[in-house]
């Protein structure tokens, strides 16, 4: 499960492994919430594994088998998978934004990749082979 905070809009986002993406807004203790699932939105899967907020305040969600998606300001979701982005694996374990706006994607089988999600370069992915300790070899 992943959690992200949007201090500008005073919203909390939670990625749930079996229930999609939860948006909690308004008051912290009694605020409203909305569940983005395959039944209530165009999110591609309910199995959310991790979450990160981009510099524009949009939540990006990693999933078990459906790659990476982000929720745009109009409420729609855009999905990136191995077939349309060059991300090395569709099973996402972690997401983090770098200072330059690039998204680092940690995958289960394909290692890590630096993904530039700007509209002009959605195909640009740089694969980086990382070794994680303890190293089995």
């Amino acid at each position: 499960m992943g959690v992200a905070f949007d201090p500008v809009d005073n919203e909390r986002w939670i990625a749930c492994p079996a229930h999609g993406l939860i948006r909690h807004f308004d008051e912290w203790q009694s605020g409203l919430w909305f569940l983005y699932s395959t039944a209530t939105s165009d999110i591609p899967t309910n199995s959310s594994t991790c979450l990160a907020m981009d510099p524009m305040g949009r939540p990006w969600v990693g999933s078990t088998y459906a790659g990476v998606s982000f929720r745009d300001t109009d409420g729609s979701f855009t999905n990136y998978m191995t077939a349309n982005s060059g991300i090395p694996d569709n099973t996402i374990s972690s997401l983090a934004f770098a200072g330059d706006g690039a998204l680092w994607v940690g995958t289960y089988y394909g290692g890590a990749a630096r993904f530039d999600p700007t509209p002009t370069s959605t195909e640009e992915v740089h694969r980086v082979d990382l070794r994680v300790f303890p190293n089995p070899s």
Side-chain angles (χ1 to χ4, degrees):
M1 177 170 51
V3 177
F5 299 94
D6 181 358
V8 174
D9 291 329
N10 193 31
E11 296 178 337
R12 284 74 56 202
W13 295 86
I14 304 167
C16 299
H19 295 291
L21 179 65
I22 295 175
R23 175 182 168 213
H24 183 253
F25 50 100
D26 203 22
E27 297 297 321
W28 278 76
Q29 295 179 343
S30 62
L32 304 171
W33 60 272
F34 185 81
L35 173 64
Y36 295 93
S37 69
T38 55
T40 63
S41 70
D42 61 349
I43 194 169
T45 181
N46 288 335
S47 62
S48 300
T49 58
C50 53
L51 182 65
M53 298 296 282
D54 72 10
M56 294 183 284
R58 301 177 303 182
W60 286 70
V61 184
S63 68
T64 304
Y65 299 110
V68 178
S69 303
F70 77 89
R71 182 188 171 273
D72 212 337
T73 54
D74 66 359
S76 66
F77 284 84
T78 300
N79 186 244
Y80 297 100
M81 298 180 69
T82 56
N84 69 351
S85 70
I87 292 172
D89 183 29
N90 288 327
T91 302
I92 310 301
S93 56
S94 58
L95 298 171
F97 278 93
D100 64 356
L103 177 63
W104 280 92
V105 180
T107 69
Y108 191 77
Y109 298 106
R114 183 181 183 277
F115 176 61
D116 186 356
T118 57
T120 58
S121 61
T122 56
E123 296 297 320
E124 182 181 344
V125 173
H126 303 281
R127 183 176 175 150
V128 178
D129 291 322
L130 299 177
R131 293 189 183 260
V132 179
F133 293 95
N135 190 348
S137 58

